[in-house]
Amino acid sequence: MARLGLVLAMALCLTISVFPDTTTAQLKHNFYGKKVVQQKVKETFVTIPATLRLFFHDCFVNGCDASVMIQSTPNNKAEKDHPDNVSLAGDGFDVVIKAKKALDAIPSCRNKVSCADILALATRDVVVAAEGPSYPVELGRRDGLVSTAASVHGNLPGPNDNFDKLNKLFAKNKLTQEDMIALSAAHTLGFAHCNKVFNRIYNFNRTHIIDPALNKGYAKDLRLAWPKNVDPRIAINIDPITPKKIDNIYFKNLQQGKGLFTSDQVLYTDRRSRPTVDSWAKNSAAFNAAFVKAMTKLGRVGVKTGHNGNIRRDCGAFN
Ligand SMILES: *[C@@H]1O[C@H](CO)[C@@H](O)[C@H](O)[C@H]1NC(C)=O
Ligand SMILES: *[C@@H]1O[C@H](CO)[C@@H](O)[C@H](O)[C@H]1NC(C)=O
């Protein structure tokens, strides 16, 4: 088993880029640090949503170039220290650092694989660990040379975003409305803090105290979990039914008014996206295919090649 792992890891180190402009060749499926990911997931389930979130955040801000992993220095406030980072948990960073360490321990692999590629691979592995679909990961990203908190502003979707804003943000990254809906299903995992949802259950607008798009029973459950004076650190599962699985239950929840964030529920309330929600709620294979397609496209966003990037020795610091 150990030997097999090594062979696969070496195969990875010899494989090259599918992205244009890079000198090297091609790649297929890679299993390199998969064991590291599986071990880490066993220790902490949060690794799964944390890694997925980290990849998404990385790609949406300045492209998939591991700029989100850079630590701030006295002279530079880095991407990860922008206030919009609330849902970035340390476990996503940790799994990438551990997978890199495992790769770097193999002499022929040392500093051959970028942190951005390792994050992309780890993301696929956590998707599989959450029983989502597997897919080949395109490789050949280089690590970015810039990471600033200022670059985050306005580039990440927020829990109260409306449909047009969501579409616009995704379109900016060459992702379609379908991609946006498929990637929203990442909310089939993960936790939310009450401040993002409080207005929906206590103070919606002048005519409705509770958002009428919310399922009444679900709104009651939310109020029980989050009484008015709740400790704001108390988090609950975003998906009330299957919080540990990537599956199409997310869409069934939306049909029942159980989308936790406004940005989830709007996918069902808006006429433009409801047919997609209905069809994926019925057909999990169609959702899986759309999710793989969207994840692959997400992994292409703003990829750095050639002199626009390098391979970091330490994912948290520029070389
Ligand atoms: C998020 O940003 C805050 C500052 O806004 C920082 O204190 C915190 O450590 C950051 N979180 C992560 C996971 O880097
Ligand atoms: C409150 O929200 C509901 C549902 O979105 C809407 O129908 C209603 O017009 C809103 N009321 C006000 C005063 O904005």
Side-chain angles (χ1 to χ4, degrees):
M1 188 63 211
R3 239 183 92 201
L4 182 64
L6 186 71
V7 170
L8 292 167
M10 287 179 61
L12 170 69
C13 298
L14 299 173
T15 52
I16 335 291
S17 170
V18 293
F19 294 113
D21 280 1
T22 38
T23 42
T24 34
Q26 50 122 37
L27 113 106
K28 284 271 137 58
H29 316 229
N30 303 279
F31 305 169
Y32 79 107
K34 196 170 186 174
K35 268 195 277 174
V36 173
V37 178
Q38 285 167 348
Q39 179 59 31
K40 174 80 189 163
V41 166
K42 229 196 269 169
E43 287 162 18
T44 341
F45 180 81
V46 172
T47 302
I48 296 178
T51 305
L52 205 49
R53 176 74 200 178
L54 191 64
F55 182 60
F56 182 81
H57 182 131
D58 185 35
C59 295
F60 260 52
V61 180
N62 234 345
C64 310
D65 65 351
S67 52
V68 72
M69 295 201 62
I70 291 290
Q71 302 281 342
S72 293
T73 62
N75 299 323
N76 180 45
K77 191 174 175 196
E79 205 173 298
K80 78 177 191 64
D81 287 318
H82 185 276
D84 286 355
N85 75 3
V86 281
S87 47
L88 288 182
D91 294 300
F93 295 84
D94 192 47
V95 79
V96 174
I97 290 164
K98 285 187 167 142
K100 176 164 170 67
K101 209 168 151 197
L103 267 179
D104 281 352
I106 302 162
S108 63
C109 290
R110 200 169 163 72
N111 294 326
K112 291 276 193 331
V113 187
S114 66
C115 300
D117 276 352
I118 295 173
L119 176 55
L121 287 162
T123 301
R124 187 271 318 275
D125 293 344
V126 299
V127 166
V128 172
E131 299 176 46
S134 189
Y135 54 94
V137 179
E138 296 175 335
L139 298 180
R141 298 169 192 80
R142 289 169 82 80
D143 294 325
L145 306 176
V146 181
S147 171
T148 63
S151 60
V152 177
H153 185 75
N155 285 318
L156 292 172
N160 294 314
D161 283 354
N162 66 31
F163 191 76
D164 288 321
K165 174 132 190 251
L166 290 170
N167 259 343
K168 225 161 132 185
L169 263 175
F170 281 73
K172 217 162 91 178
N173 293 304
K174 302 200 177 85
L175 296 162
T176 63
Q177 177 175 303
E178 276 214 351
D179 297 329
M180 183 269 283
I181 302 167
L183 292 173
S184 296
H187 282 172
T188 183
L189 299 168
F191 307 94
H193 290 93
C194 62
N195 61 339
K196 306 285 189 218
V197 184
F198 244 43
N199 64 334
R200 295 192 76 200
I201 55 175
Y202 289 115
N203 186 26
F204 188 61
N205 66 16
R206 262 175 301 146
T207 45
H208 293 79
I209 294 171
I210 298 180
D211 183 345
L214 264 179
N215 175 293
K216 286 203 173 64
Y218 184 49
K220 215 186 248 170
D221 292 344
L222 290 174
R223 279 175 159 221
L224 279 174
W226 283 328
K228 268 189 174 157
N229 57 352
V230 71
D231 178 339
R233 286 166 303 185
I234 303 284
I236 66 164
N237 292 324
I238 302 180
D239 177 345
I241 312 296
T242 52
K244 294 196 163 186
K245 279 171 76 168
I246 293 179
D247 57 18
N248 69 335
I249 303 284
Y250 172 78
F251 300 104
K252 296 188 192 193
N253 290 341
L254 297 185
Q255 289 175 318
Q256 295 165 31
K258 294 178 183 168
L260 184 60
F261 297 129
T262 298
S263 60
D264 294 313
Q265 195 57 51
V266 75
L267 303 178
Y268 188 71
T269 46
D270 198 289
R271 265 183 300 138
R272 289 167 288 178
S273 46
R274 184 181 290 196
T276 308
V277 170
D278 284 337
S279 106
W280 292 346
K282 262 204 306 253
N283 185 340
S284 75
F287 160 62
N288 282 348
F291 187 74
V292 164
K293 187 170 162 206
M295 287 298 286
T296 304
K297 284 170 76 179
L298 176 63
R300 293 174 187 158
V301 173
V303 163
K304 312 285 185 300
T305 55
H307 293 300
N308 294 323
N310 59 19
I311 293 182
R312 263 180 235 147
R313 285 186 290 272
D314 168 353
C315 295
F318 297 119
N319 287 348

